[in-house]
Amino acid sequence: MSDTLMLDAIGRRVELNGEHGTVRFSGIVPPVAGLWLGVEWDNPERGKHDGSHEGTVYFKCRHPTGGSFIRPNKVNFGVDFLTAVKNRYVLEDGAEDHGKEQIITIGKKPVETIGFDSVIKQQRYYKSRCVKKPTGFMG
């Protein structure tokens, strides 16, 4: 994993060996070299400490044994929604389809994947069609 990815890791959910947690720290933990993730586990019995190492607090946990320092390549960050749907329903597409708008069918229901540009364009269209009627008060 790159250093860039680790900058946005804080707050992300992770999984390791069936246990889930939230990344609370990403960085160096001296004296050991390399990047580490500080994870607060959902199950407080999964961890070994409270987010500190050798007297330095790197992150805080709600439970004294709810945290762990883990190498980034050991945890699973999951997959995006479209990949999860494709994996679940064994849908196939080519490399050229990645990132494009497309329609996939789940059972008999078509599901359209679109980008933010399409959403913004559609919202502008609907906003332009909505004209507020002036309201007045007659007494």
Side-chain angles (χ1 to χ4, degrees):
M1 290 201 160
S2 69
D3 293 351
T4 306
L5 177 61
M6 293 301 94
L7 293 175
D8 74 349
I10 296 174
R12 289 183 61 187
R13 299 284 292 162
V14 293
E15 181 270 334
L16 177 66
N17 299 328
E19 296 280 349
H20 295 87
T22 304
V23 176
R24 301 288 185 213
F25 168 81
S26 175
I28 308 296
V29 181
V32 183
L35 288 173
W36 292 90
L37 296 178
V39 176
E40 180 178 13
W41 298 105
D42 294 353
N43 174 6
E45 296 175 5
R46 165 64 176 89
K48 294 184 177 181
H49 54 77
D50 63 355
S52 61
H53 178 70
E54 294 185 357
T56 302
V57 177
Y58 293 93
F59 64 100
K60 295 196 183 266
C61 288
R62 290 174 290 221
H63 193 274
T65 61
S68 296
F69 287 103
I70 300 172
R71 294 290 188 177
N73 64 341
K74 299 289 183 185
V75 298
N76 179 2
F77 282 96
V79 296
D80 63 271
F81 175 75
L82 184 57
T83 302
V85 168
K86 286 179 179 180
N87 290 344
R88 171 67 174 94
Y89 294 99
V90 194
L91 303 171
E92 296 181 17
D93 65 359
E96 69 281 351
D97 292 335
H98 184 69
K100 290 184 179 179
E101 297 177 11
Q102 53 186 309
I103 296 177
I104 58 177
T105 304
I106 301 174
K108 294 182 180 181
K109 301 281 185 182
V111 177
E112 183 178 4
T113 62
I114 60 173
F116 281 115
D117 291 340
S118 295
V119 172
I120 290 168
K121 184 177 169 183
Q122 198 169 26
Q123 286 175 342
R124 285 184 185 146
Y125 172 76
Y126 285 118
K127 267 188 176 178
S128 70
R129 295 192 55 138
C130 294
V131 178
K132 293 185 180 181
K133 292 181 182 179
T135 57
F137 177 73
M138 296 180 69

